[in-house]
Each structure stands twice: as C-alpha cells, then as structure tokens.
Amino acid sequence: EAAKRGFDKDPEVVRTMKQVMIQKLLRDEFETKVTPESITDVEIKAYYDAHADEFLKPEEVRASAIVVKTQAQAERVAREAAGDAGKTNKGFRDLVSTYTTNDEQKLRGGDLRYLSSASKDVPKPVIDAAFALANTGDVSGVVDAGDGTFWILKQTGRRKALTRTFEDASQTIRNKLYRDKRLDT
C-alpha cells in the first residue's frame, strides 16, 4: 500500500533507507575486522600495566575535620565532638562551620574526601589519625598536625584495598579495548 501511494519515492524515506544501508554495511565490515578475539593478550597486558592504578588501589579512609589554631580550643571542641553534637554527620558539620579556621574545609563541611596513607593533601599525623579510627562514625581526640594547627577528625567512610590480578581483569580489559576499537572504526 505504501509503495502504491509512492512513499518509496518520498525523499525522507529514501534518505532513511540510505542511512540504514550504510549502517548495515559498516556493521558488516566492522564485525568481520574487529572481534573480541582480535584483541591480543599483549594489548591487554600493555593496558593493565599502563593503568595499574585502576586495578591496584590502596586502602582509603574518608574523614571530616575540624581545624583550630590552639590546643586549648581543640580540646574543648574535641569534648563537644565526642558528645551528642558529633554523633551525627550534620552535628559534626555544624561544629565544623562554628570552629574551623580553614575556609576551604569549612565550605566542604570539613570533608577531607578519601585519603590513602600516601596522600599529600593533609599532614601525615592527620592521615595516621584518620586510619587509626576503627569504625565509620568514630571521632578522634586532638591531633597535632605539626604545622601549628590542631585537628579533630570523624571517620565518614573506609574503602578496603583493591587488588585485581591480571587474570581477574583481563576479560574486563578485553571488553573495554574491543569497545574502544569499535568506536574508532
């Protein structure tokens, strides 16, 4: 019926048919040239070695911090944080906004984000204290950062170390490289 009415000659139908034919041609060409099996073990190993940080991640801890300038103030704030005020994340954020002298951290509600033991974003004594907190929600005592500041920390998360061997990751890498080659073709 559509052909009787001349729709097969309609410019929009002709353009759509040409697009579908081109897509089918490209798909047929591509599927004969690139297959998941065409990704070599050498390519997979090279990707694994070049992106080791994706497969070998150290343990990380997330914490929020109140930063003050004096030990006496830090001890007062630590007592407050150890009480009811610091039990909830909102309560701890309120303490951050009230006491923290570090404007950048104040804007983030004290969030230090995830830290590894090798992080350089915060002083080493702070990292050590964050890792010493056993459970999410635990609040530290006063931490002397060694730079004239005193910190009170609350652990807000922990990620276990991630180690994916080459064998564990090879199929994932093969699929990624296959997708990338398909997009390039």
Side-chain angles (χ1 to χ4, degrees):
E1 182 60 32
K4 274 195 230 173
R5 293 186 183 187
F7 286 126
D8 58 333
K9 311 249 187 301
D10 182 89
E12 187 176 329
V13 171
V14 170
R15 183 181 54 78
T16 302
M17 284 176 44
K18 284 180 183 177
Q19 285 177 336
V20 170
M21 286 190 304
I22 292 169
Q23 287 172 354
K24 180 141 179 65
L25 172 68
L26 289 174
R27 192 169 35 252
D28 287 349
E29 281 289 310
F30 173 74
E31 288 176 358
T32 59
K33 290 182 181 173
V34 179
T35 64
E37 294 75 29
S38 69
I39 308 298
T40 67
D41 288 343
V42 172
E43 290 173 292
I44 295 169
K45 181 70 171 143
Y47 183 91
Y48 181 83
D49 292 341
H51 299 89
D53 58 328
E54 290 179 32
F55 308 105
L56 308 170
K57 293 184 179 183
E59 180 181 22
E60 296 177 315
V61 67
R62 187 171 190 165
S64 292
I66 302 168
V67 182
V68 296
K69 297 272 187 213
T70 67
Q71 174 127 15
Q73 183 184 24
E75 288 172 4
R76 283 194 313 275
V77 174
R79 281 192 297 278
E80 205 173 327
D84 289 341
K87 289 203 187 305
T88 66
N89 287 339
K90 182 187 180 329
F92 196 85
R93 280 193 307 272
D94 290 344
L95 293 174
V96 170
S97 65
T98 303
Y99 296 111
T100 290
T101 57
N102 183 315
D103 290 334
E104 181 185 338
Q105 287 178 1
K106 191 180 278 194
L107 289 172
R108 291 191 314 227
D111 185 20
L112 300 175
R113 299 189 179 102
Y114 277 97
L115 305 166
S116 73
S117 59
S119 292
K120 302 289 184 212
D121 298 336
V122 297
K124 182 74 172 133
V126 173
I127 292 171
D128 294 342
F131 273 92
L133 295 170
N135 301 305
T136 299
D138 286 354
V139 176
S140 74
V142 176
V143 178
D144 183 347
D147 62 359
T149 60
F150 298 88
W151 299 52
I152 297 93
L153 303 169
K154 178 175 184 168
Q155 187 190 109
T156 56
R158 189 178 285 265
R159 291 182 185 155
K160 293 181 179 175
L162 169 70
T163 303
R164 288 186 67 194
T165 64
F166 173 72
E167 290 74 26
D168 292 341
S170 63
Q171 189 58 47
T172 303
I173 296 169
R174 182 181 304 277
N175 292 339
K176 182 196 179 330
L177 294 176
Y178 172 65
R179 280 192 310 273
D180 290 351
K181 279 190 175 183
R182 282 183 53 186
L183 292 173
D184 290 345
T185 302

Short mmCIF file of all heavy atoms in Angstrom, two decimals, residues 53-113:
data_model
loop_
_atom_site.label_atom_id
_atom_site.label_comp_id
_atom_site.label_asym_id
_atom_site.label_seq_id
_atom_site.Cartn_x
_atom_site.Cartn_y
_atom_site.Cartn_z
N ASP A 53 46.89 1.67 38.39
CA ASP A 53 46.14 2.33 39.46
C ASP A 53 44.66 1.98 39.45
O ASP A 53 43.99 2.10 40.48
CB ASP A 53 46.34 3.85 39.39
CG ASP A 53 45.90 4.45 38.07
OD1 ASP A 53 46.03 3.76 37.03
OD2 ASP A 53 45.45 5.61 38.07
N GLU A 54 44.13 1.53 38.33
CA GLU A 54 42.72 1.11 38.27
C GLU A 54 42.50 -0.25 38.93
O GLU A 54 41.40 -0.56 39.37
CB GLU A 54 42.25 0.99 36.81
CG GLU A 54 42.12 2.29 36.08
CD GLU A 54 41.68 2.08 34.63
OE1 GLU A 54 40.93 1.12 34.35
OE2 GLU A 54 42.09 2.88 33.78
N PHE A 55 43.56 -1.05 39.00
CA PHE A 55 43.42 -2.43 39.45
C PHE A 55 44.09 -2.70 40.80
O PHE A 55 43.83 -3.71 41.42
CB PHE A 55 43.99 -3.38 38.39
CG PHE A 55 43.40 -3.12 37.03
CD1 PHE A 55 44.13 -2.47 36.05
CD2 PHE A 55 42.10 -3.47 36.75
CE1 PHE A 55 43.59 -2.21 34.80
CE2 PHE A 55 41.54 -3.21 35.51
CZ PHE A 55 42.28 -2.58 34.54
N LEU A 56 44.97 -1.79 41.21
CA LEU A 56 45.68 -1.95 42.47
C LEU A 56 45.52 -0.66 43.27
O LEU A 56 46.28 0.29 43.09
CB LEU A 56 47.17 -2.23 42.22
CG LEU A 56 47.48 -3.37 41.25
CD1 LEU A 56 48.94 -3.39 40.88
CD2 LEU A 56 47.05 -4.70 41.84
N LYS A 57 44.52 -0.62 44.13
CA LYS A 57 44.24 0.58 44.91
C LYS A 57 44.51 0.30 46.39
O LYS A 57 44.08 -0.73 46.90
CB LYS A 57 42.80 1.02 44.73
CG LYS A 57 42.49 1.51 43.32
CD LYS A 57 41.09 2.02 43.21
CE LYS A 57 40.84 2.51 41.79
NZ LYS A 57 39.52 3.08 41.64
N PRO A 58 45.17 1.23 47.07
CA PRO A 58 45.43 1.03 48.49
C PRO A 58 44.16 1.26 49.31
O PRO A 58 43.18 1.84 48.81
CB PRO A 58 46.48 2.10 48.80
CG PRO A 58 46.17 3.20 47.82
CD PRO A 58 45.71 2.49 46.56
N GLU A 59 44.20 0.84 50.57
CA GLU A 59 43.09 1.13 51.48
C GLU A 59 42.96 2.64 51.61
O GLU A 59 43.96 3.36 51.62
CB GLU A 59 43.36 0.51 52.85
CG GLU A 59 42.24 0.77 53.83
CD GLU A 59 42.51 0.17 55.20
OE1 GLU A 59 43.67 -0.07 55.54
OE2 GLU A 59 41.54 -0.04 55.93
N GLU A 60 41.72 3.11 51.68
CA GLU A 60 41.46 4.54 51.82
C GLU A 60 40.48 4.76 52.95
O GLU A 60 39.64 3.91 53.23
CB GLU A 60 40.88 5.12 50.53
CG GLU A 60 41.81 5.06 49.34
CD GLU A 60 41.18 5.59 48.08
OE1 GLU A 60 40.01 5.23 47.79
OE2 GLU A 60 41.84 6.36 47.38
N VAL A 61 40.60 5.92 53.58
CA VAL A 61 39.68 6.30 54.63
C VAL A 61 39.16 7.70 54.31
O VAL A 61 39.88 8.52 53.75
CB VAL A 61 40.35 6.24 56.03
CG1 VAL A 61 41.43 7.29 56.16
CG2 VAL A 61 39.34 6.38 57.13
N ARG A 62 37.89 7.92 54.60
CA ARG A 62 37.29 9.24 54.39
C ARG A 62 37.01 9.84 55.75
O ARG A 62 36.50 9.15 56.64
CB ARG A 62 36.01 9.13 53.57
CG ARG A 62 35.44 10.48 53.19
CD ARG A 62 34.31 10.34 52.21
NE ARG A 62 33.94 11.64 51.68
CZ ARG A 62 33.20 11.82 50.61
NH1 ARG A 62 32.71 10.77 49.97
NH2 ARG A 62 32.91 13.03 50.19
N ALA A 63 37.33 11.10 55.88
CA ALA A 63 37.13 11.74 57.17
C ALA A 63 36.70 13.19 56.96
O ALA A 63 36.92 13.77 55.90
CB ALA A 63 38.41 11.70 58.00
N SER A 64 36.10 13.73 58.00
CA SER A 64 35.81 15.15 58.08
C SER A 64 36.64 15.70 59.21
O SER A 64 36.98 14.98 60.15
CB SER A 64 34.33 15.39 58.34
OG SER A 64 33.57 15.01 57.22
N ALA A 65 36.98 16.99 59.14
CA ALA A 65 37.89 17.55 60.13
C ALA A 65 37.44 18.93 60.59
O ALA A 65 36.91 19.72 59.82
CB ALA A 65 39.29 17.65 59.56
N ILE A 66 37.69 19.17 61.86
CA ILE A 66 37.58 20.50 62.44
C ILE A 66 39.02 20.93 62.68
O ILE A 66 39.80 20.21 63.29
CB ILE A 66 36.81 20.48 63.77
CG1 ILE A 66 35.42 19.89 63.58
CG2 ILE A 66 36.75 21.88 64.38
CD1 ILE A 66 34.69 19.56 64.87
N VAL A 67 39.40 22.09 62.16
CA VAL A 67 40.77 22.58 62.27
C VAL A 67 40.77 23.87 63.07
O VAL A 67 40.07 24.83 62.71
CB VAL A 67 41.39 22.83 60.88
CG1 VAL A 67 42.85 23.29 61.01
CG2 VAL A 67 41.29 21.61 60.01
N VAL A 68 41.55 23.89 64.17
CA VAL A 68 41.64 25.08 65.01
C VAL A 68 43.12 25.42 65.24
O VAL A 68 44.00 24.63 64.95
CB VAL A 68 40.90 24.90 66.37
CG1 VAL A 68 39.40 24.72 66.13
CG2 VAL A 68 41.46 23.73 67.14
N LYS A 69 43.36 26.61 65.81
CA LYS A 69 44.73 27.11 65.95
C LYS A 69 45.38 26.80 67.29
O LYS A 69 46.60 26.82 67.39
CB LYS A 69 44.74 28.63 65.75
CG LYS A 69 44.31 29.07 64.37
CD LYS A 69 45.48 29.10 63.43
CE LYS A 69 45.07 29.70 62.11
NZ LYS A 69 45.76 29.14 61.00
N THR A 70 44.59 26.53 68.34
CA THR A 70 45.21 26.32 69.66
C THR A 70 44.82 24.97 70.23
O THR A 70 43.72 24.46 69.97
CB THR A 70 44.79 27.42 70.67
OG1 THR A 70 43.40 27.27 70.95
CG2 THR A 70 45.08 28.81 70.13
N GLN A 71 45.70 24.42 71.04
CA GLN A 71 45.44 23.13 71.67
C GLN A 71 44.27 23.24 72.65
O GLN A 71 43.45 22.35 72.73
CB GLN A 71 46.69 22.63 72.39
CG GLN A 71 46.43 21.37 73.18
CD GLN A 71 47.38 20.25 72.84
OE1 GLN A 71 48.40 20.47 72.23
NE2 GLN A 71 47.03 19.07 73.23
N ALA A 72 44.20 24.35 73.39
CA ALA A 72 43.12 24.52 74.38
C ALA A 72 41.76 24.52 73.69
O ALA A 72 40.81 23.84 74.14
CB ALA A 72 43.33 25.80 75.18
N GLN A 73 41.65 25.26 72.60
CA GLN A 73 40.37 25.27 71.87
C GLN A 73 40.09 23.89 71.29
O GLN A 73 38.96 23.42 71.31
CB GLN A 73 40.40 26.33 70.76
CG GLN A 73 39.05 26.41 70.04
CD GLN A 73 39.05 27.38 68.87
OE1 GLN A 73 40.10 27.68 68.30
NE2 GLN A 73 37.87 27.86 68.51
N ALA A 74 41.12 23.22 70.77
CA ALA A 74 40.95 21.89 70.19
C ALA A 74 40.41 20.91 71.23
O ALA A 74 39.53 20.10 70.93
CB ALA A 74 42.27 21.39 69.62
N GLU A 75 40.90 21.00 72.43
CA GLU A 75 40.43 20.09 73.48
C GLU A 75 38.96 20.35 73.84
O GLU A 75 38.19 19.41 74.03
CB GLU A 75 41.33 20.19 74.71
CG GLU A 75 42.69 19.56 74.45
CD GLU A 75 43.71 19.80 75.55
OE1 GLU A 75 43.37 20.41 76.59
OE2 GLU A 75 44.87 19.38 75.36
N ARG A 76 38.57 21.64 73.88
CA ARG A 76 37.15 21.96 74.13
C ARG A 76 36.27 21.42 73.00
O ARG A 76 35.24 20.82 73.24
CB ARG A 76 36.97 23.48 74.25
CG ARG A 76 37.39 24.07 75.58
CD ARG A 76 36.88 25.49 75.78
NE ARG A 76 37.09 26.38 74.64
CZ ARG A 76 38.21 27.06 74.39
NH1 ARG A 76 39.25 26.94 75.19
NH2 ARG A 76 38.30 27.84 73.33
N VAL A 77 36.69 21.66 71.76
CA VAL A 77 35.91 21.21 70.60
C VAL A 77 35.88 19.69 70.54
O VAL A 77 34.84 19.10 70.23
CB VAL A 77 36.48 21.82 69.30
CG1 VAL A 77 35.77 21.25 68.09
CG2 VAL A 77 36.37 23.34 69.32
N ALA A 78 36.98 19.02 70.88
CA ALA A 78 37.03 17.56 70.86
C ALA A 78 36.03 16.98 71.84
O ALA A 78 35.36 15.98 71.55
CB ALA A 78 38.43 17.06 71.17
N ARG A 79 35.91 17.59 73.03
CA ARG A 79 34.91 17.11 74.01
C ARG A 79 33.50 17.27 73.45
O ARG A 79 32.67 16.39 73.59
CB ARG A 79 35.06 17.87 75.34
CG ARG A 79 36.21 17.37 76.20
CD ARG A 79 36.16 17.93 77.61
NE ARG A 79 36.29 19.38 77.67
CZ ARG A 79 37.45 20.04 77.63
NH1 ARG A 79 38.59 19.37 77.54
NH2 ARG A 79 37.48 21.36 77.69
N GLU A 80 33.27 18.41 72.81
CA GLU A 80 31.95 18.65 72.21
C GLU A 80 31.68 17.65 71.07
O GLU A 80 30.58 17.09 70.97
CB GLU A 80 31.90 20.08 71.67
CG GLU A 80 30.51 20.65 71.59
CD GLU A 80 30.51 22.13 71.21
OE1 GLU A 80 31.44 22.88 71.58
OE2 GLU A 80 29.55 22.53 70.52
N ALA A 81 32.69 17.39 70.24
CA ALA A 81 32.54 16.46 69.12
C ALA A 81 32.35 15.03 69.59
O ALA A 81 31.66 14.24 68.95
CB ALA A 81 33.74 16.56 68.18
N ALA A 82 32.96 14.68 70.72
CA ALA A 82 32.83 13.33 71.26
C ALA A 82 31.44 13.11 71.88
O ALA A 82 31.00 11.98 72.04
CB ALA A 82 33.91 13.07 72.30
N GLY A 83 30.75 14.20 72.19
CA GLY A 83 29.41 14.10 72.77
C GLY A 83 28.35 14.00 71.70
O GLY A 83 28.60 13.60 70.56
N ASP A 84 27.13 14.37 72.07
CA ASP A 84 25.99 14.26 71.17
C ASP A 84 26.16 15.09 69.89
O ASP A 84 25.69 14.71 68.83
CB ASP A 84 24.70 14.67 71.88
CG ASP A 84 24.27 13.65 72.92
OD1 ASP A 84 24.73 12.49 72.82
OD2 ASP A 84 23.47 14.00 73.82
N ALA A 85 26.83 16.24 69.99
CA ALA A 85 26.97 17.12 68.83
C ALA A 85 27.71 16.44 67.68
O ALA A 85 27.41 16.69 66.52
CB ALA A 85 27.69 18.41 69.23
N GLY A 86 28.65 15.57 67.99
CA GLY A 86 29.44 14.94 66.94
C GLY A 86 28.93 13.60 66.48
O GLY A 86 29.48 12.99 65.58
N LYS A 87 27.87 13.11 67.09
CA LYS A 87 27.37 11.76 66.76
C LYS A 87 26.78 11.70 65.35
O LYS A 87 26.91 10.71 64.67
CB LYS A 87 26.34 11.31 67.78
CG LYS A 87 26.98 10.98 69.13
CD LYS A 87 26.12 10.04 69.91
CE LYS A 87 26.60 9.81 71.31
NZ LYS A 87 27.95 9.37 71.45
N THR A 88 26.11 12.76 64.93
CA THR A 88 25.54 12.76 63.58
C THR A 88 26.45 13.54 62.64
O THR A 88 27.21 14.41 63.08
CB THR A 88 24.14 13.42 63.56
OG1 THR A 88 24.29 14.81 63.88
CG2 THR A 88 23.19 12.75 64.54
N ASN A 89 26.36 13.23 61.37
CA ASN A 89 27.17 13.96 60.39
C ASN A 89 26.79 15.43 60.36
O ASN A 89 27.64 16.30 60.25
CB ASN A 89 27.04 13.33 59.00
CG ASN A 89 27.78 12.01 58.91
OD1 ASN A 89 28.68 11.73 59.70
ND2 ASN A 89 27.38 11.19 57.97
N LYS A 90 25.48 15.72 60.48
CA LYS A 90 25.03 17.11 60.49
C LYS A 90 25.58 17.83 61.71
O LYS A 90 26.05 18.96 61.62
CB LYS A 90 23.51 17.20 60.46
CG LYS A 90 23.02 18.65 60.41
CD LYS A 90 21.53 18.76 60.55
CE LYS A 90 21.01 20.17 60.52
NZ LYS A 90 21.85 21.21 61.03
N GLY A 91 25.53 17.18 62.85
CA GLY A 91 26.06 17.80 64.06
C GLY A 91 27.55 18.10 63.94
O GLY A 91 28.02 19.17 64.36
N PHE A 92 28.30 17.17 63.35
CA PHE A 92 29.73 17.40 63.16
C PHE A 92 29.96 18.54 62.18
O PHE A 92 30.82 19.39 62.40
CB PHE A 92 30.42 16.12 62.69
CG PHE A 92 31.91 16.16 62.83
CD1 PHE A 92 32.51 15.83 64.03
CD2 PHE A 92 32.73 16.56 61.78
CE1 PHE A 92 33.90 15.88 64.19
CE2 PHE A 92 34.10 16.61 61.91
CZ PHE A 92 34.69 16.27 63.13
N ARG A 93 29.16 18.59 61.10
CA ARG A 93 29.28 19.70 60.13
C ARG A 93 28.99 21.03 60.79
O ARG A 93 29.62 22.05 60.48
CB ARG A 93 28.36 19.46 58.93
CG ARG A 93 28.92 18.50 57.92
CD ARG A 93 28.16 18.53 56.60
NE ARG A 93 26.73 18.33 56.73
CZ ARG A 93 26.12 17.15 56.74
NH1 ARG A 93 26.82 16.05 56.61
NH2 ARG A 93 24.82 17.07 56.85
N ASP A 94 28.02 21.05 61.71
CA ASP A 94 27.72 22.29 62.44
C ASP A 94 28.93 22.73 63.26
O ASP A 94 29.25 23.92 63.33
CB ASP A 94 26.50 22.11 63.34
CG ASP A 94 25.20 21.97 62.55
OD1 ASP A 94 25.19 22.32 61.34
OD2 ASP A 94 24.20 21.51 63.13
N LEU A 95 29.61 21.76 63.89
CA LEU A 95 30.81 22.09 64.65
C LEU A 95 31.91 22.62 63.72
O LEU A 95 32.64 23.55 64.06
CB LEU A 95 31.32 20.86 65.41
CG LEU A 95 30.44 20.35 66.55
CD1 LEU A 95 30.99 19.05 67.12
CD2 LEU A 95 30.30 21.40 67.64
N VAL A 96 32.01 22.02 62.53
CA VAL A 96 32.98 22.49 61.54
C VAL A 96 32.71 23.95 61.20
O VAL A 96 33.60 24.80 61.23
CB VAL A 96 32.95 21.63 60.25
CG1 VAL A 96 33.77 22.27 59.14
CG2 VAL A 96 33.44 20.22 60.53
N SER A 97 31.45 24.27 60.89
CA SER A 97 31.13 25.64 60.48
C SER A 97 31.32 26.62 61.63
O SER A 97 31.63 27.79 61.40
CB SER A 97 29.72 25.72 59.90
OG SER A 97 28.77 25.42 60.88
N THR A 98 31.17 26.16 62.86
CA THR A 98 31.34 27.04 64.01
C THR A 98 32.81 27.29 64.34
O THR A 98 33.21 28.42 64.63
CB THR A 98 30.64 26.44 65.26
OG1 THR A 98 29.26 26.23 64.96
CG2 THR A 98 30.77 27.37 66.45
N TYR A 99 33.64 26.25 64.28
CA TYR A 99 35.00 26.35 64.80
C TYR A 99 36.14 26.35 63.79
O TYR A 99 37.21 26.89 64.05
CB TYR A 99 35.26 25.20 65.80
CG TYR A 99 34.38 25.27 67.02
CD1 TYR A 99 33.39 24.33 67.23
CD2 TYR A 99 34.55 26.27 67.97
CE1 TYR A 99 32.58 24.38 68.35
CE2 TYR A 99 33.75 26.33 69.10
CZ TYR A 99 32.77 25.39 69.29
OH TYR A 99 31.98 25.45 70.39
N THR A 100 35.96 25.71 62.66
CA THR A 100 37.09 25.54 61.74
C THR A 100 37.63 26.87 61.25
O THR A 100 36.87 27.73 60.83
CB THR A 100 36.70 24.65 60.55
OG1 THR A 100 36.52 23.33 61.03
CG2 THR A 100 37.77 24.61 59.48
N THR A 101 38.95 26.98 61.26
CA THR A 101 39.60 28.20 60.77
C THR A 101 40.00 28.06 59.31
O THR A 101 40.35 29.05 58.68
CB THR A 101 40.86 28.50 61.61
OG1 THR A 101 41.74 27.38 61.56
CG2 THR A 101 40.49 28.82 63.05
N ASN A 102 39.95 26.87 58.76
CA ASN A 102 40.32 26.63 57.37
C ASN A 102 39.08 26.84 56.50
O ASN A 102 38.15 26.03 56.51
CB ASN A 102 40.85 25.20 57.23
CG ASN A 102 41.32 24.88 55.82
OD1 ASN A 102 40.63 25.20 54.85
ND2 ASN A 102 42.47 24.24 55.72
N ASP A 103 39.06 27.94 55.75
CA ASP A 103 37.87 28.31 54.98
C ASP A 103 37.49 27.28 53.93
O ASP A 103 36.32 27.00 53.70
CB ASP A 103 38.05 29.68 54.32
CG ASP A 103 38.04 30.81 55.33
OD1 ASP A 103 37.44 30.64 56.41
OD2 ASP A 103 38.65 31.87 55.04
N GLU A 104 38.49 26.70 53.26
CA GLU A 104 38.21 25.70 52.22
C GLU A 104 37.48 24.50 52.83
O GLU A 104 36.51 24.00 52.28
CB GLU A 104 39.51 25.26 51.55
CG GLU A 104 39.30 24.25 50.45
CD GLU A 104 40.62 23.74 49.87
OE1 GLU A 104 41.64 24.41 49.99
OE2 GLU A 104 40.58 22.64 49.28
N GLN A 105 37.96 24.01 53.96
CA GLN A 105 37.32 22.88 54.61
C GLN A 105 35.97 23.25 55.18
O GLN A 105 35.05 22.44 55.22
CB GLN A 105 38.22 22.28 55.67
CG GLN A 105 39.37 21.52 55.05
CD GLN A 105 40.31 20.95 56.08
OE1 GLN A 105 40.10 21.10 57.27
NE2 GLN A 105 41.34 20.29 55.61
N LYS A 106 35.85 24.48 55.63
CA LYS A 106 34.56 24.93 56.17
C LYS A 106 33.50 24.86 55.08
O LYS A 106 32.38 24.41 55.31
CB LYS A 106 34.70 26.36 56.70
CG LYS A 106 33.49 26.82 57.50
CD LYS A 106 33.66 28.23 58.02
CE LYS A 106 34.48 28.21 59.27
NZ LYS A 106 34.41 29.48 60.01
N LEU A 107 33.86 25.26 53.86
CA LEU A 107 32.92 25.22 52.74
C LEU A 107 32.49 23.79 52.40
O LEU A 107 31.37 23.57 51.94
CB LEU A 107 33.53 25.88 51.49
CG LEU A 107 33.68 27.39 51.55
CD1 LEU A 107 34.47 27.89 50.34
CD2 LEU A 107 32.33 28.07 51.63
N ARG A 108 33.38 22.83 52.62
CA ARG A 108 33.07 21.43 52.32
C ARG A 108 32.50 20.71 53.53
O ARG A 108 32.41 19.48 53.53
CB ARG A 108 34.33 20.70 51.85
CG ARG A 108 34.81 21.14 50.50
CD ARG A 108 35.87 20.22 49.97
NE ARG A 108 36.87 19.88 50.94
CZ ARG A 108 38.17 19.89 50.74
NH1 ARG A 108 38.63 20.23 49.56
NH2 ARG A 108 39.02 19.57 51.68
N GLY A 109 32.18 21.42 54.59
CA GLY A 109 31.66 20.78 55.79
C GLY A 109 32.72 19.95 56.49
O GLY A 109 32.40 19.01 57.22
N GLY A 110 33.99 20.28 56.26
CA GLY A 110 35.09 19.56 56.88
C GLY A 110 35.53 18.32 56.12
O GLY A 110 36.49 17.67 56.51
N ASP A 111 34.84 17.98 55.04
CA ASP A 111 35.14 16.75 54.30
C ASP A 111 36.54 16.78 53.70
O ASP A 111 36.89 17.69 52.95
CB ASP A 111 34.10 16.55 53.20
CG ASP A 111 34.25 15.23 52.47
OD1 ASP A 111 34.88 14.30 53.02
OD2 ASP A 111 33.71 15.11 51.35
N LEU A 112 37.33 15.78 54.05
CA LEU A 112 38.68 15.65 53.50
C LEU A 112 38.71 14.73 52.29
O LEU A 112 39.77 14.50 51.71
CB LEU A 112 39.64 15.09 54.57
CG LEU A 112 39.79 15.92 55.83
CD1 LEU A 112 40.67 15.19 56.84
CD2 LEU A 112 40.37 17.29 55.51
N ARG A 113 37.57 14.15 51.95
CA ARG A 113 37.44 13.16 50.89
C ARG A 113 38.22 11.90 51.27
O ARG A 113 38.66 11.75 52.38
CB ARG A 113 37.87 13.74 49.55
CG ARG A 113 37.00 14.93 49.15
CD ARG A 113 37.27 15.37 47.74
NE ARG A 113 36.42 16.48 47.37
CZ ARG A 113 36.83 17.74 47.34
NH1 ARG A 113 38.08 18.05 47.62
NH2 ARG A 113 36.00 18.69 47.00
#
